[in-house]
Amino acid sequence: MFNAEVESALNEFGTIKFKDWAKSHITECNHSTFAQKVDFLFSVLGAPSDPDLPDDLKNLFKFSSEFTHIGYISTFFTSTAGAEVIFGDEDEPYLPSTENFSELKYEILETSCKALLATYIPSLVKCLEKLMLKSQADRFSALLHQNAAALSDAIATRNSKYFFIKTGLIGSSSSIPLTCMCGETRTWVPPHATTDLYCTSCGSSFQLLEVDGDGGYIITSNGPAKIIGANVPDFSDLPMDEQIKLLKQCEEAAKKPHAPQPGSQPNAAQ
């Protein structure tokens, strides 16, 4: 992948001490702070689609750096006894114990994904264009753009997980298991409060679509999905011939002009 000149430079770079990276005969760094690096990246790559992203990245760095290096705020929180600290913003005061930390984890994850889309992937593409033959660079760039599109779609949909559920189950005395795409299962217990419709592990939100009738599965563009509460086995537990039958129905549905999209209301299947 690399010619002799690049290989020689990489070998030499490995011998340079960290403190000398900023100024050596083969390396230099005119942007020493994290904030300066963020501004430089966007000056080269162009303004991001989300205008708040540069400030979000700087705030996230300050937040994580503060706790990593045991700064004033983290020391204060871990050494203070008694009542909770009262926070405040432009809307209202609030306490740490009342916050949804799964939501905080998701916000951090979302900001990191946006950073990948706006800085890391474009930087890789520019690097490939400089280091590789055009035919090879184009091939890898296409794969990177494909992954970027998938990641962008996940952010746009707020990582929502749709569940198809039998009409009448919500509000009943039954506990409802909701398995997130990350693998975590949340048991939704009566009285089925809508404020609990999120994953406690990754923060993804849950959307429920009620289905009438006696159907056991929903045919979607992503394949068969079991209706929660239906008296049928999971799709993976069906005999192979039954799985093939349902998959053929999925294939036929996908060929129709108005095939259902992920998250839309598709037709029920027996």
Side-chain angles (χ1 to χ4, degrees), residues 76-118:
F76 172 72
F77 271 99
T78 56
S79 61
T80 300
E84 289 186 86
V85 175
I86 299 177
F87 287 124
D89 56 23
E90 63 273 11
D91 296 324
E92 59 185 355
Y94 58 92
L95 299 173
S97 63
T98 63
E99 291 306 291
N100 178 355
F101 286 101
S102 289
E103 179 71 19
L104 174 61
K105 286 192 295 182
Y106 184 85
E107 288 186 11
I108 292 174
L109 177 63
E110 183 179 40
T111 301
S112 301
C113 288
K114 288 182 177 179
L116 282 172
L117 289 170

Side-chain angles (χ1 to χ4, degrees), residues 8 14 20 25 38-39 41 53 63 85-86 91 99-100 111 118 127 140 153 195 218 243 248 251 255 257:
S8 175
D20 298 324
H25 75 283
V38 170
D39 291 336
L41 276 173
L53 181 58
F63 173 81
V85 175
I86 299 177
D91 296 324
E99 291 306 291
N100 178 355
T111 301
C127 181
F140 285 111
D153 181 65
T195 52
I218 290 291
Q243 290 188 29
K248 285 182 177 178
E251 186 178 353
K255 293 178 181 178

Side-chain angles (χ1 to χ4, degrees), residues 27-102:
T27 61
E28 65 176 21
C29 177
N30 297 319
H31 312 284
S32 57
T33 69
F34 182 83
Q36 290 173 338
K37 295 178 189 297
V38 170
D39 291 336
F40 171 73
L41 276 173
F42 287 120
S43 71
V44 174
L45 300 172
S49 57
D50 181 356
D52 296 327
L53 181 58
D55 286 337
D56 288 344
L57 290 175
K58 294 172 187 178
N59 290 334
L60 180 56
F61 177 81
K62 287 189 288 186
F63 173 81
S64 57
S65 178
E66 163 65 32
F67 278 82
T68 299
H69 296 98
I70 315 180
Y72 295 112
I73 294 177
S74 54
T75 302
F76 172 72
F77 271 99
T78 56
S79 61
T80 300
E84 289 186 86
V85 175
I86 299 177
F87 287 124
D89 56 23
E90 63 273 11
D91 296 324
E92 59 185 355
Y94 58 92
L95 299 173
S97 63
T98 63
E99 291 306 291
N100 178 355
F101 286 101
S102 289

